[in-house]
Amino acid sequence: MFILAIIFLRNQPAYMRGLILIGIARCIAMILVWNELAEGDTDYVAGLVALNSIFQVLFYSLYAWLFLTVLPGWFGLQGAVVHISIADLAKASASILASHSSPDCSHVSCSARVKGDKWYSTRFIPRIGPLTLAALLFTILSCSRSRET
């Protein structure tokens, strides 16, 4: 994504940085929903999501710092350099993961406990799956529009 950002968005540093940040982010937001839709192994995916979250907290800030602070200068893109510390990036990453993961995990465990695993798998997941994808697309579009204004 870094190379694509340099090639296609060289003259638009804000979009370039956004593409880089999306490229280094491990997607953990809807893995459980997609796994259920694909009829995957729930326990295995829960373990992967937990490991992924740990790696996200440990390495995302380092990658973001490298790709936003160090590497743009090496490619002659001084205007795209962001001066931020690894500690600030780590705090932001951890707070975002915590704020998104906690409600998701509590909702999944509560709804499965109250209504049962069968209801969750056969009724809830098929209905919420398309909505989560639409919400993700809406979020991406609204963020890109807010950056334009």
Side-chain angles (χ1 to χ4, degrees):
M1 292 301 238
F2 180 76
I3 299 299
L4 290 174
I6 289 174
I7 292 170
F8 295 110
L9 300 170
R10 177 177 286 274
N11 297 324
Q12 298 180 23
Y15 286 120
M16 189 176 95
R17 290 188 294 265
L19 184 61
I20 292 168
L21 289 172
I22 289 171
I24 61 174
R26 291 177 155 89
C27 181
I28 60 173
M30 299 190 310
I31 292 173
L32 295 173
V33 173
W34 291 335
N35 178 64
E36 288 293 325
L37 291 172
E39 298 176 6
D41 185 342
T42 306
D43 294 332
Y44 178 68
V45 168
L48 288 178
V49 167
L51 285 174
N52 203 350
S53 297
I54 291 167
F55 285 119
Q56 183 83 344
V57 170
L58 293 176
F59 294 111
Y60 184 82
S61 55
L62 177 64
Y63 288 147
W65 176 80
L66 179 70
F67 285 108
L68 295 177
T69 304
V70 177
L71 292 180
W74 290 3
F75 288 88
L77 300 167
Q78 306 304 352
V81 171
V82 176
H83 300 285
I84 190 166
S85 71
I86 294 174
D88 288 338
L89 289 163
K91 288 176 195 173
S93 180
S95 66
I96 288 170
L97 284 172
S99 67
H100 289 144
S101 299
S102 300
D104 292 343
C105 292
S106 63
H107 180 268
V108 168
S109 63
C110 288
S111 64
R113 198 175 297 133
V114 171
K115 295 271 192 168
D117 289 335
K118 184 176 181 181
W119 173 87
Y120 182 77
S121 299
T122 60
R123 305 272 295 179
F124 180 75
I125 293 295
R127 287 187 178 159
I128 198 73
L131 293 175
T132 57
L133 183 57
L136 177 64
L137 293 172
F138 177 75
T139 302
I140 291 169
L141 290 173
S142 64
C143 287
S144 66
R145 285 189 184 136
S146 67
R147 296 291 296 172
E148 292 173 359
T149 58

